[in-house]
Amino acid sequence: LSGDKSKLLLSAKKVRRATGMEFVVSLSGNDFSRSSTSYIGKLRSNFLGTKFTVYENQPPPVYSERSSNRKLPPSMRVSPWVSSSTQSYNMASILYELNVLRTRGPRRMQCIMNSIPVSSIQEGGQVHSPTEFTNLGNTKNKKKSMMDFCTGNMGGESVVKEPLVLKNKSPRWHEQLQCWCLNFKGRVTVASVKNFQLIAAAAEAGKNMNIPEEEQERVILQFGKIGKDIFTMDYRYPISAFQAFAICLSSFDTKPVCE
């Protein structure tokens, strides 16, 4: 992004620890203090870089039984506000499949969205929504509204019994190019091991879970390279900006046992 229309949504700082890597996510490009109101959450990896956990500094929303079947636009997804919280909440787990035999092929990953129920993409599934929306009229509420947008959670339950599971879409081998290929609809232009598309991992249980076939093939998150140190990220319902950003951050950690 460049020019007057360029807007900073989220930024991350990489912190190396003895047990693994950690990314601290903030609304600000220069304030990564966990006591700051700009602090969103963190992404933490294990020592091998094969498992990541997404933590958010506010709890999943708990709404009343009244809900809406309507899929709200991202700008209207609001969740309860907890400022300067020192407690972290496990929002998602990202698992990369081991490749100890060094077999040919791209990375394989799976994301367990602990705060999003699989019912969010089921046919006739309900979307829990709050009864009030934040007033954007004053400066004090702008940062809070941005936090609500970034962490907007469609779960509606503090504990999800059947979480939504995402998996990377399997690429096809291109004989002429001699490489693995995915259709990014022109949004990704440079080959990279970091490129991926995520879809709902419901093919095996699609009939039992009452998930439409077209929904099982729909790309929920895609990430890819377009230039030196420049990537694009496209996400859609039911994940939030923060969840999508954290999943993409996980691809930047070194994974010697996965490639």
Side-chain angles (χ1 to χ4, degrees):
L1 295 178
S2 61
D4 296 336
K5 294 184 179 180
S6 178
K7 301 293 183 182
L8 174 65
L9 179 61
L10 293 168
S11 60
K13 180 180 180 180
K14 193 173 184 179
V15 180
R16 190 177 300 277
R17 299 189 179 279
T19 56
M21 200 65 65
E22 187 172 284
F23 292 88
V24 180
V25 182
S26 172
L27 293 172
S28 171
N30 50 24
D31 183 6
F32 295 94
S33 171
R34 302 190 187 191
S35 60
S36 170
T37 55
S38 297
Y39 174 65
I40 292 280
K42 61 187 177 183
L43 173 71
R44 179 176 292 175
S45 75
N46 63 356
F47 183 75
L48 294 176
T50 58
K51 181 179 180 180
F52 294 79
T53 306
V54 181
Y55 295 98
E56 196 173 343
N57 85 324
Q58 59 178 327
V62 182
Y63 304 131
S64 62
E65 293 183 358
R66 292 179 300 174
S67 60
S68 170
N69 289 324
R70 191 165 50 90
K71 295 182 179 180
L72 298 177
S75 60
M76 300 181 73
R77 298 174 191 169
V78 185
S79 57
W81 170 257
V82 179
S83 66
S84 303
S85 172
T86 57
Q87 186 173 356
S88 296
Y89 299 87
N90 187 333
M91 307 301 290
S93 298
I94 306 164
L95 309 174
Y96 285 84
E97 187 176 310
L98 294 176
N99 188 14
V100 291
L101 298 179
R102 294 292 193 273
T103 55
R104 189 174 65 170
R107 294 172 176 173
R108 296 181 182 180
M109 61 189 296
Q110 187 178 75
C111 303
I112 303 172
M113 312 305 296
N114 300 322
S115 61
I116 304 177
V118 69
S119 60
S120 62
I121 62 171
Q122 286 178 336
E123 189 171 359
Q126 293 185 336
V127 176
H128 294 259
S129 61
T131 56
E132 297 180 357
F133 300 112
T134 304
N135 179 17
L136 303 179
N138 58 67
T139 306
K140 182 179 179 180
N141 285 332
K142 284 185 178 179
K143 183 164 287 188
K144 173 184 183 299
S145 301
M146 181 63 75
M147 174 79 81
D148 290 340
F149 168 76
C150 291
T151 62
N153 191 296
M154 305 305 292
E157 297 180 7
S158 58
V159 178
V160 175
K161 295 180 180 179
E162 296 181 351
L164 173 67
V165 179
L166 305 177
K167 67 176 181 179
N168 64 297
K169 190 172 184 178
S170 299
R172 295 183 178 179
W173 179 255
H174 197 293
E175 288 293 341
Q176 292 181 338
L177 298 177
Q178 289 293 295
C179 65
W180 297 95
C181 296
L182 282 169
N183 184 6
F184 287 95
K185 310 284 186 184
R187 290 287 291 159
V188 178
T189 56
V190 180
S192 172
V193 70
K194 297 179 178 66
N195 299 350
F196 67 82
Q197 290 180 326
L198 294 185
I199 58 177
E204 301 83 2
K207 296 182 179 179
N208 298 331
M209 299 301 294
N210 195 27
I211 298 175
E213 186 175 348
E214 62 272 14
E215 193 68 39
Q216 297 176 35
E217 292 298 319
R218 196 187 304 273
V219 175
I220 294 176
L221 170 63
Q222 70 175 19
F223 178 73
K225 193 172 185 179
I226 61 172
K228 184 179 180 181
D229 300 327
I230 304 176
F231 295 80
T232 60
M233 181 188 82
D234 302 307
Y235 72 98
R236 63 177 292 274
Y237 168 91
I239 66 175
S240 69
F242 168 65
Q243 292 165 338
F245 187 55
I247 293 172
C248 294
L249 281 175
S250 70
S251 67
F252 285 96
D253 196 22
T254 305
K255 300 170 181 59
V257 295
C258 299
E259 299 166 359

